[in-house]
Amino acid sequence: MTPSLPHQSAPSDEPPRPPEDSRHKIRRRALTLLIIVLLIGVPAGYLAVSANQSRNSGKDKEAKYAATGLTKGWPSKVQRRLYQVPMPHPSGKVAAYETNNWKTSRLYVQFQTPKANLDVFLKDMGVKRSDLKKGEITISARDQKITGWDFTSPGPWYGLVHKQKAPKPTQDVMMSLGNKNNPFFYVVSRTVP
């Protein structure tokens, strides 16, 4: 048997392509470069932005948990629900601080709110305006020292203690009517884990 030789195809009727001109070559290379940049650069940029946001989130959490006193800003919804501190809207000059140990957990909150919110706040907490006692300091010296609160300035000052059966928290509340239209509240809510 004789080996078969490859057959050559018949010549096509199409004319051969002209050599690529420099314009077309530059355009093709630019398009290739653009595709490479999009395939590599966009995901790399996304990763860089994502990593930066993640790092900043960690710094925020670190600052929150490293705080050793009141920090401006609202306590989280979970904290407000756990410690049963109903924050009325609108409220200003809000600051909070949470402490936890094996024996007792505490949430310290201060805020100022319009007088119209006074009864709403007390009702949501489960107490009445008549429970407020004029001149009664209900927040302990220990808690005042932790927060830097001072109840010696001109008031009038009102206080109440809202005791609840465990595991519900107990709240010590102080209210200043130094500004009659916008009372200032100081709340220490403590719970036993």
Side-chain angles (χ1 to χ4, degrees), residues 37-109:
V37 166
L38 290 175
L39 288 174
I40 295 172
V42 170
Y46 173 78
L47 286 174
V49 168
S50 178
N52 191 34
Q53 288 174 342
S54 178
R55 187 181 67 218
N56 288 344
S57 172
K59 286 180 181 179
D60 293 345
K61 287 178 184 173
E62 180 183 357
K64 177 182 175 183
Y65 293 113
T68 56
L70 289 170
T71 306
K72 286 184 181 181
W74 287 65
S76 70
K77 287 182 180 180
V78 171
Q79 288 173 315
R80 286 181 273 161
R81 187 171 49 243
L82 177 69
Y83 291 99
Q84 296 181 1
V85 179
M87 303 274 304
H89 290 277
S91 289
K93 299 181 182 177
V94 178
Y97 177 54
E98 182 181 20
T99 61
N100 296 298
N101 62 37
W102 64 274
K103 192 176 176 185
T104 307
S105 296
R106 286 181 175 84
L107 178 67
Y108 302 88
V109 182

